[in-house]
Amino acid sequence: MPFRKKKNGDIDEDMASDLADDLGDGMTDADDDEDNINLDDLPFNELPIEVQFKRMPKRPKSRRSWLSKLLIITLFLSPFCATAVAMIPVLDPETGWRLFHAGGPEATITVPGTERELQEEIARGVKDIQDRDRAAMEAANGANGQGQSAEDIAGNLDGVSDLIGTPGATDGTGDGAPTPEELAALIEEEGSFDEPIEPDPLRPAPLPGLDEEGSFGRIPRIGDDGTTPFEAYKRPFELPEGTPVVAVMLTGVGLNEERTDAAINDLPLNISLAISPYARDLQTVAREARAMGHEVFLELPMEPADFPLSDPGPRALLTSLSEGENLVRLEWLLARFPGYAGLVSRQGSKFGSLDSAIRPVIEFISRTGLMYVEGTGSGVASYGAQLAANDGTPNAISNVIIDDTPSRRHIDRRLAELVEIAKRNGVAVGIAQSYPVTIQRLRNWAFRLKRQGVVLVPVSAVSGQQVTPQSADEAEAARIEAEEREREVMAEQAEQEEALSEPADPAEPDEPANTIEN
């Protein structure tokens, strides 16, 4: 029905209102019809999405679902865990070294010079001082009323008994303590114990023509004019005639900043320093040591007899590796920093005793013009040192490990033993670690060494003084003997591995034990 218009052109309001009411009633009927629709009669694909989701079958979460979630979480956290572990050597190099290379917590506890052991040593030292002071007080306040003796007075003066000894007593070498006049003359001649050591710089390294490009950097070589790195980088010193000499090498330099500074600045310049290849900023440490006047050596980690219980470190020379692999590792070690006069073996009791292992290394060292120092502390000519002597390579062997037990009394006994060996043989070499107690006792010992009739010299000065080169026949016989010994050792190891790999046969009865009844 068409809208009727009024005369003025407007739509009839009554008609529009009626039409709107009719439309509203129609829409309401449509909504009512939709509400009355039964969803069960519709196909599944025509149902609303929320209804389809509710009607979908639900399965319990399987083990694979939980494992996948765990894997996702692990993959997410693994970079953070790896970063945290990798930061341990950066934040604390000593803890990181022991964590990755010491073989576990039990080996860490037994490592000499750990913080725990140093704290125990400090506690024992404090207890010794307290006991000494208590005994002095009891002697001073005794019932007999007698005054203190010279020994008590010297014991109560901190540092005096260490410097001049107890009055009327000997220092272990048979010489009495100096009188006050002799002590004054000694101080005037050698300087006070507390005076800083004056630097005596060595030539800066590297020197032109004494190195060449290797696989991992610059490595030493003999110059075109025949100058060897040993001759160029050693500390100049002339051996006194008819006087026993003793040389000391401090190892482990560079691993701890405070100990390294103390070793460079507080020790006499004739004490040689061996820098660890695992130290940080090796070139700076070597440059500061040479600027002070110390000759430096490079530690050469080798396989010990109790490997892997004792781990010499990463890229160490091992008997289980081929000759080529060991030479590659040796070249990596030689390229660590410039300016060292030679190499000192660290551990290496097993590697240095096998001909097939040590001979290529000694031949390589001979071609570089470096000195080889046997650092096991056996005091006898090892096979490696003998090979070096036969090739004309500068060499030396250590007689004493000074601080295998890092305590004050033990170090003092070892130093006295070193002096006795020097007086008996004319020369002695000691090896020590860069522990704080070792540095302090070495400084004290070196200050009063001259009055014992022994001269402190650099390790390079005793080159060729301990090992006599063999003739061609003796060297060949020694080589054959070493090869036979090596074959026997390898055969024993093969038998042991075979015995461990073969399972026991339960069908075969065990052989009766070899007892008295049998």
Side-chain angles (χ1 to χ4, degrees):
M1 177 179 181
F3 296 125
R4 293 194 303 268
K5 296 184 179 180
K6 294 183 179 181
K7 294 180 180 181
N8 55 5
D10 295 334
I11 299 176
D12 189 354
E13 295 181 357
D14 297 335
M15 180 70 69
S17 177
D18 295 341
L19 182 59
D21 291 340
D22 294 340
L23 291 175
D25 293 339
M27 293 175 66
T28 303
D29 295 340
D31 293 338
D32 294 340
D33 294 340
E34 184 177 356
D35 292 339
N36 294 331
I37 294 175
N38 189 0
L39 298 179
D40 294 335
D41 297 337
L42 297 176
F44 180 80
N45 58 348
E46 296 182 4
L47 293 174
I49 297 300
E50 60 272 11
V51 177
Q52 293 183 13
F53 180 77
K54 291 180 180 180
R55 291 189 178 185
M56 290 180 64
K58 301 295 188 301
R59 292 188 303 173
K61 294 184 178 181
S62 62
R63 182 182 301 177
R64 181 179 299 176
S65 174
W66 289 110
L67 291 177
S68 62
K69 292 180 179 179
L70 180 62
L71 178 61
I72 293 173
I73 295 173
T74 304
L75 292 176
F76 178 77
L77 296 178
S78 59
F80 301 98
C81 297
T83 304
V85 174
M87 287 296 294
I88 293 178
V90 178
L91 299 177
D92 189 353
E94 294 185 1
T95 302
W97 168 256
R98 297 188 181 97
L99 177 64
F100 292 112
H101 304 292
E106 296 183 357
T108 302
I109 295 174
T110 60
V111 172
T114 58
E115 296 300 329
R116 175 178 178 180
E117 189 165 348
L118 292 177
Q119 292 175 2
E120 293 176 354
E121 174 63 25
I122 293 173
R124 287 194 295 268
V126 172
K127 185 176 182 302
D128 292 342
I129 295 175
Q130 292 175 349
D131 293 342
R132 186 189 65 184
D133 294 342
R134 189 180 300 109
M137 291 296 295
E138 293 176 356
N141 301 325
N144 53 10
Q146 296 179 355
Q148 288 181 303
S149 63
E151 290 82 356
D152 297 331
I153 295 175
N156 290 331
L157 297 177
D158 294 336
V160 174
S161 60
D162 287 337
L163 182 60
I164 64 174
T166 303
T170 61
D171 57 4
T173 61
D175 299 330
T179 63
E181 293 77 8
E182 294 173 344
L183 179 61
L186 182 65
I187 293 177
E188 183 178 357
E189 178 183 356
E190 300 184 358
S192 174
F193 179 77
D194 296 328
E195 289 182 358
I197 298 176
E198 293 295 332
D200 184 15
L202 303 179
R203 292 187 295 177
L207 296 176
L210 295 182
D211 59 357
E212 61 184 1
E213 191 65 32
S215 301
F216 305 96
R218 308 292 294 183
I219 63 175
R221 76 175 183 91
I222 300 176
D224 296 335
D225 58 352
T227 303
T228 64
F230 167 72
E231 297 171 346
Y233 297 136
K234 70 178 183 179
R235 177 173 175 79
F237 193 90
E238 294 184 4
L239 289 178
E241 296 182 1
T243 303
V245 296
V246 61
V248 174
M249 179 180 292
L250 195 72
T251 61
V253 177
L255 295 176
N256 181 280
E257 184 176 356
E258 294 181 0
R259 300 178 189 178
T260 300
D261 292 340
I264 294 175
N265 300 315
D266 297 344
L267 290 178
L269 302 183
N270 284 342
I271 292 183
S272 305
L273 303 181
I275 301 178
S276 170
Y278 311 120
R280 293 182 296 179
D281 203 3
L282 292 171
Q283 296 188 7
T284 301
V285 174
R287 183 171 58 251
E288 293 178 352
R290 290 183 56 82
M292 187 65 185
H294 296 278
E295 66 179 12
V296 297
F297 284 74
L298 171 66
E299 289 188 17
L300 188 63
M302 295 181 178
E303 180 180 346
D306 57 348
F307 179 81
L309 182 61
S310 296
D311 189 354
R315 301 201 181 186
L317 308 183
L318 306 176
T319 59
S320 58
L321 301 177
S322 64
E323 175 184 336
E325 179 64 22
N326 280 324
L327 292 180
V328 168
R329 294 190 171 197
L330 176 61
E331 190 172 345
W332 179 84
L333 292 167
L334 294 177
R336 299 297 290 153
F337 66 93
Y340 50 88
L343 307 171
V344 53
S345 64
R346 189 171 69 87
Q347 299 177 346
S349 55
K350 181 178 179 180
F351 188 90
S353 62
L354 299 181
D355 180 85
S356 61
I358 191 63
R359 183 181 291 272
V361 173
I362 296 298
E363 293 176 352
F364 194 98
I365 295 174
S366 299
R367 292 194 298 269
T368 59
L370 296 170
M371 181 179 182
Y372 176 75
V373 180
E374 177 63 48
T376 58
S378 61
V380 298
S382 66
Y383 190 64
Q386 188 65 63
L387 290 176
N390 296 343
D391 289 344
T393 302
N395 62 90
I397 57 175
S398 61
N399 300 97
V400 174
I401 301 296
I402 296 173
D403 53 356
D404 48 355
T405 300
S407 67
R408 181 174 58 85
R409 291 185 178 87
H410 182 82
I411 291 173
D412 290 345
R413 286 195 298 267
R414 288 294 195 183
L415 291 173
E417 180 183 350
L418 193 65
V419 172
E420 291 296 329
I421 296 175
K423 290 183 176 181
R424 185 170 60 250
N425 301 334
V427 60
V429 178
I431 299 290
Q433 280 282 343
S434 55
Y435 303 138
V437 63
T438 304
I439 296 174
Q440 188 270 333
R441 301 314 297 172
L442 279 176
R443 178 177 172 87
N444 189 354
W445 167 80
F447 181 77
R448 53 196 176 115
L449 181 63
K450 189 173 182 180
R451 66 182 178 85
Q452 301 181 23
V454 179
V455 178
L456 179 64
V457 301
V459 174
S460 60
V462 302
S463 172
Q465 300 291 319
Q466 298 170 292
V467 184
T468 304
Q470 295 175 332
S471 62
D473 295 338
E474 293 174 341
E476 181 63 19
R479 184 188 64 81
I480 296 175
E481 181 181 357
E483 291 179 351
E484 292 178 355
R485 183 171 61 251
E486 182 176 352
R487 284 194 294 268
E488 293 176 358
V489 172
M490 299 300 292
E492 292 178 0
Q493 292 180 354
E495 291 178 358
Q496 293 176 357
E497 294 176 358
E498 184 179 357
L500 293 175
S501 61
E502 291 181 357
D505 189 358
E508 297 181 1
D510 296 337
E511 296 182 0
N514 188 15
T515 60
I516 298 177
E517 290 79 2
N518 296 330

